[in-house]
Amino acid sequence: MIVSPVDSLGHYGGTWHMAQLAKRDYALLIRTIGYEPLLRWTPQWTGITPNVALSYDTNSTATDFTFRLRPGMRWSDGEPFNADDIMFWYQDILLNPQLSPRIPDWLTSKGEPVEVEKIDDTTVKFHFTAPYGLFPTFLAQPEGVEPVSYPAHYLKEYLPKYNPDAAAEAAKLGYKSWQERFFAVFGHPGSIDEPSRWMNPKVPTLNAWVMTGAYGKQDPLIAVRNPYYWKIDPTGRQLPYIDRVSFKLVDSKSDAVKLAMEGKINMQERHISNSAEEILAVRKDMSSFTLIESDMNKLTLSLNLNHQNNVLRPLFQDKNFRIGLSHAFDRDAIIDQFMPDAVPHQAAPRPESPLFHAVLARQYITYDPDLALDYFAKAGLTNRDAQGFLLTSDGHRVTFSIDTVGSTRFDTLQAVVAYWRELGIDATARDLPRDQFYQIRKNNRFDATAWGGDGGLDAMLFPVNYLPISKDSWFAPGWAAWYGDHDSKDATVPPQIVQKQMSFYDRLKSTAAPEQQKSLMRAILDISADQFYVMGVALPPNRKGIVANNFKNVPKVMPAAWSFATPAPTNPSQYYIEEK
């Protein structure tokens, strides 16, 4: 694959230095050295383009997607990569319930899993039983690397299908099963966004740089040039230009900022973008690049509408209570204190988005304590206990915790909760360790969540705050589980209006017509506005990343989003470091 440089042909050598949080920050690896799907985003997020695939075709009904692979490609250990590797992923990983108990939603259509067929050594066809016009778009997201992440030649020996002694060998090494050994070697299948996937540097990849150690165990974690990388510059020189990538472990974002101020980071946006101006004031040898913000909120606030508690669940599901909470805190004052460049905004697509929904963005946004109390009264909260806290009709104090991760979000959340407590809501803000935060959400053992706001520019791809369809739709985990599998033990049957939203989204995914997709998404947002699932605080302004003056070919402007995997689509393999 020929990669055109942003500004100029590069020089070989040097180390790309970044700061990585010591816990649960494998997203930085995905965003920098782990994004090589069949199709990828264009550098400015204007569309998709072939990547591992040399080309692809779609049939007229958007059910068949045929991919031609690049002849001669090799894994990082030099072994050939071809259609057999994709078939190994499909037949032996994806369809193997002992390794993949659940097929990811993006690989299904109308509840039926994808069928993959080998046409020849460099051609595969993905077939869906129902139209799935959004499939190429989902394939360009970070999770889209799954079909090309499983080197058959390396992994077959761990499966009994290919090695009759696999179970005995696993037991001899102290594993309880061959599956446990496979997970230890490769990690858990299903998503690249999984901690266990970054623990074994021996697994061959198609990435520009390959790790020499395990995340969390080596400090710094070093990735080195892949000698079999399959991309070149326009003159035929193999990429990447940069020799090594170094991930220095830090305990917090403030430690990452400190590292940048010491000149030990030469290009990064993650963790440090909110302090870019502060860093640049100290580091005259650095410049900035602009990140077009895709998040729709600095802090979203969602109650667990599927709470297991019989007192909180009906209260949380009462829209009046949620409206009251939204009117109960002063967004302008919070913005002045914590985010002076932001503006008040509910959980809704950004104004720059063609899917901007004015009602969803602006409703219930004014600070009005008296109006908040009126809505609390409509929700049955009129009596108070001796401490002044509101009581439900059956005498229970309205008590719940709302969780987040990280000091920045926590400081803002505490300010919101202080307003709620003034009006008689016994809410408590909690800053949890990231692993604990995710674990209690996995088990639906939580009250409420304060998080960022995905879906500002990519509402169709990341609608988790607008309808419950994902494990990340924390406002309704039971409804989301039902969407994924009606028979799931975690499923709760949603109301008809929510099921209507879900049917709209199924139709949206099936069509390949952009205007029809937008029309259906607007219908989904209409329902979201009526239901008012999630509150927002403020619309994030654009941010800045930092780059050393001798670190070249970084675009002056790039989108910032998880679904875009910033900065990966800007082709880090063509970045280079100029000798000082």
Side-chain angles (χ1 to χ4, degrees):
M1 180 175 177
I2 299 173
V3 177
S4 297
V6 169
D7 294 313
S8 60
L9 296 171
H11 307 298
Y12 288 118
T15 301
W16 178 5
H17 292 280
M18 286 177 279
Q20 183 174 31
L21 297 184
K23 293 183 178 179
R24 208 178 174 95
D25 191 23
Y26 41 88
L28 183 62
L29 302 172
I30 298 168
R31 290 168 176 260
T32 53
I33 66 171
Y35 178 76
E36 296 291 358
L38 282 165
L39 308 177
R40 66 189 287 118
W41 298 118
T42 56
Q44 291 302 318
W45 213 3
T46 55
I48 55 177
T49 189
N51 191 53
V52 170
L54 178 63
S55 62
Y56 76 103
D57 298 301
T58 307
N59 68 351
S60 60
T61 57
T63 56
D64 290 348
F65 302 86
T66 303
F67 299 91
R68 182 172 176 237
L69 307 177
R70 297 179 186 275
M73 275 185 61
R74 294 182 180 273
W75 293 98
S76 56
D77 62 356
E79 291 296 318
F81 165 82
N82 55 41
D84 290 336
D85 293 291
I86 294 178
M87 295 308 298
F88 173 76
W89 158 76
Y90 172 65
Q91 295 172 337
D92 299 303
I93 306 297
L94 184 70
L95 297 185
N96 186 344
Q98 294 177 294
L99 295 178
S100 302
R102 181 174 177 273
I103 294 178
D105 292 340
W106 71 274
L107 289 166
T108 67
S109 181
K110 295 291 186 183
E112 294 297 321
V114 65
E115 298 174 9
V116 183
E117 174 188 356
K118 175 183 174 181
I119 307 300
D120 57 41
D121 284 347
T122 56
T123 311
V124 292
K125 181 169 71 174
F126 285 59
H127 170 75
F128 294 91
T129 55
Y132 191 7
L134 272 188
F135 178 60
T137 306
F138 278 108
L139 204 53
Q141 293 193 90
E143 291 85 351
V145 302
E146 274 296 280
V148 293
S149 294
Y150 295 81
H153 71 279
Y154 184 85
L155 295 174
K156 281 183 176 181
E157 70 171 283
Y158 303 105
L159 274 63
K161 175 180 175 180
Y162 302 99
N163 176 11
D165 298 324
E169 291 173 0
K172 187 175 181 180
L173 293 170
Y175 296 103
K176 296 179 181 178
S177 64
W178 66 265
Q179 297 101 310
E180 186 178 274
R181 186 187 182 196
F182 181 91
F183 297 150
V185 169
F186 180 83
H188 287 269
S191 174
I192 191 70
D193 189 18
E194 157 64 42
S196 63
R197 295 286 283 272
W198 298 95
M199 303 307 293
N200 184 2
K202 294 181 181 179
V203 178
T205 77
L206 300 176
N207 300 328
W209 296 276
V210 294
M211 297 193 307
T212 61
Y215 167 50
K217 295 184 178 180
Q218 275 70 44
D219 184 23
L221 175 61
I222 301 294
V224 298
R225 173 193 308 281
N226 172 2
Y228 297 97
Y229 194 53
W230 40 281
K231 296 183 183 179
I232 59 175
D233 72 11
T235 66
R237 292 188 302 158
Q238 186 188 28
L239 298 174
Y241 289 134
I242 294 175
D243 285 340
R244 309 194 323 161
V245 184
S246 174
F247 300 92
K248 175 64 179 173
L249 295 182
V250 294
D251 291 325
S252 66
K253 292 182 179 181
S254 59
D255 289 338
V257 172
K258 180 181 178 183
L259 209 62
M261 288 185 170
E262 294 171 353
K264 295 178 181 177
I265 293 174
N266 53 7
M267 187 277 180
Q268 189 160 348
E269 53 86 20
R270 185 170 171 84
H271 307 318
I272 56 85
S273 62
N274 290 331
S275 302
E277 296 289 358
E278 185 181 352
I279 295 167
L280 294 172
V282 174
R283 301 300 312 183
K284 302 304 181 185
D285 57 345
M286 302 199 79
S287 302
S288 67
F289 56 92
T290 299
L291 296 156
I292 304 299
E293 183 59 71
S294 71
D295 280 2
M296 52 77 171
N297 227 279
K298 295 287 284 186
L299 192 72
T300 56
L301 309 164
S302 61
L303 308 178
N304 182 357
L305 306 186
N306 301 142
H307 204 295
Q308 297 183 15
N309 182 280
N310 292 329
V311 173
L312 290 179
R313 184 176 60 256
L315 179 64
F316 286 177
Q317 288 188 7
D318 191 324
K319 178 181 170 182
N320 291 308
F321 181 62
R322 302 195 297 276
I323 294 174
L325 290 177
S326 186
H327 281 302
F329 64 95
D330 189 339
R331 289 171 175 82
D332 289 317
I334 289 172
I335 287 169
D336 288 343
Q337 182 178 359
F338 296 106
M339 47 191 100
D341 295 326
V343 294
H345 194 75
Q346 291 286 19
R350 294 181 66 91
E352 303 96 324
S353 168
L355 293 169
F356 176 67
H357 194 290
V359 173
L360 185 58
R362 303 298 300 171
Q363 65 183 349
Y364 316 127
I365 206 167
T366 56
Y367 174 50
D368 192 330
D370 291 334
L371 185 58
L373 290 173
D374 287 344
Y375 275 105
F376 289 156
K378 290 178 182 178
L381 306 179
T382 55
N383 297 323
R384 296 178 182 265
D385 62 16
Q387 286 75 44
F389 289 108
L390 288 166
L391 302 173
T392 62
S393 57
D394 53 1
H396 290 90
R397 179 190 285 190
V398 180
T399 300
F400 64 89
S401 59
I402 181 166
D403 309 329
T404 194
V405 175
S407 59
T408 301
R409 285 184 185 138
F410 182 63
D411 290 343
T412 307
L413 177 60
Q414 282 187 303
V416 172
V417 166
Y419 282 103
W420 289 347
R421 294 183 68 86
E422 284 181 12
L423 293 187
I425 303 298
D426 186 17
T428 302
R430 300 196 302 180
D431 182 7
L432 299 182
R434 190 173 288 263
D435 287 341
Q436 181 185 352
F437 175 91
Y438 280 105
Q439 185 59 44
I440 62 176
R441 270 144 194 80
K442 184 177 179 181
N443 298 332
N444 193 15
R445 299 287 182 183
F446 67 100
D447 299 338
T449 304
W451 202 246
D454 295 305
L457 296 179
D458 51 352
M460 283 192 288
L461 295 179
F462 226 90
V464 297
N465 290 297
Y466 309 132
L467 77 161
I469 59 164
S470 160
K471 63 180 176 61
D472 297 322
S473 296
W474 291 320
F475 66 89
W479 296 346
W482 183 89
Y483 177 77
D485 179 2
H486 292 5
D487 297 322
S488 168
K489 63 179 178 59
D490 301 318
T492 300
V493 178
Q496 285 299 314
I497 190 65
V498 179
Q499 293 186 39
K500 184 177 181 181
Q501 262 192 317
M502 293 171 173
S503 69
F504 284 160
Y505 193 64
D506 285 340
R507 288 169 56 192
L508 185 157
K509 289 193 298 182
S510 70
T511 180
E515 288 308 314
Q516 188 176 358
Q517 290 173 350
K518 291 177 185 177
S519 176
L520 287 163
M521 192 65 211
R522 291 188 185 102
I524 290 169
L525 294 173
D526 285 342
I527 295 174
S528 186
D530 181 64
Q531 295 298 302
F532 193 53
Y533 301 125
V534 181
M535 289 165 271
V537 175
L539 183 74
N542 291 334
R543 298 177 284 119
K544 291 183 177 180
I546 60 167
V547 59
N549 293 337
N550 70 327
F551 196 106
K552 303 297 184 178
N553 280 348
V554 177
K556 299 293 188 293
V557 177
M558 68 177 74
W562 161 248
S563 53
F564 180 73
T566 310
T570 67
N571 294 305
S573 64
Q574 55 87 48
Y575 298 166
Y576 75 95
I577 299 171
E578 197 170 63
E579 292 184 8
K580 295 183 180 180

